[in-house]
Amino acid sequence: MKLQIHSIHFDADQKLLDFIQMRLDKLETYYDRITEGEVYLRLNNNDGIANKTVEVKLFVPGSTLFVKEEATSFETATDQALDALTTQVKRHKEKMMSH
């Protein structure tokens, strides 16, 4: 899957970028018509521990799926986003099949 990964106000290392790509590629096992995705990585200014935000936008035929997760690390937030997107992708696929 073609992913554009944007790290806002910091430089993400290659290991993190590869991790995100590898994780989100798993979504294609559920639905093979995902055209592309955008990922935004942000460091929040709040004082809480969960100050890493991952936003993922997936473009599928007829729709855009979106999820935003916050966690203590980008990896954890990516895993949470993957869980939420897996549900959304499956639901979208079922909706497409029933039409």
Side-chain angles (χ1 to χ4, degrees):
M1 173 189 351
K2 188 172 157 248
L3 275 184
Q4 293 178 356
I5 303 175
H6 309 279
S7 44
I8 313 297
H9 302 307
F10 76 100
D11 290 328
D13 64 350
Q14 192 58 47
K15 193 173 138 199
L16 177 61
L17 300 178
D18 292 344
F19 175 84
I20 292 168
Q21 180 76 53
M22 183 189 75
R23 287 303 222 209
L24 294 181
D25 278 347
K26 291 183 177 177
L27 290 168
E28 291 188 303
T29 60
Y30 303 111
Y31 190 52
D32 58 2
R33 297 189 55 204
I34 299 169
T35 50
E36 64 177 315
E38 289 180 4
V39 180
Y40 293 91
L41 306 174
R42 287 192 174 82
L43 290 168
N44 301 336
N45 294 335
N46 61 8
D47 296 332
I49 314 168
N51 66 345
K52 315 271 190 313
T53 303
V54 173
E55 293 179 11
V56 183
K57 230 188 267 187
L58 285 185
F59 300 99
V60 294
S63 188
T64 302
L65 307 178
F66 179 80
V67 67
K68 177 179 179 178
E69 293 293 339
E70 292 183 358
T72 53
S73 74
F74 286 118
E75 289 82 2
T76 306
T78 300
D79 284 341
Q80 292 170 350
L82 178 65
D83 289 346
L85 282 168
T86 300
T87 306
Q88 286 186 32
V89 165
K90 286 178 179 175
R91 204 175 296 144
H92 179 77
K93 183 178 180 180
E94 284 168 15
K95 199 168 88 176
M96 291 291 112
M97 297 298 214
S98 65
H99 285 218

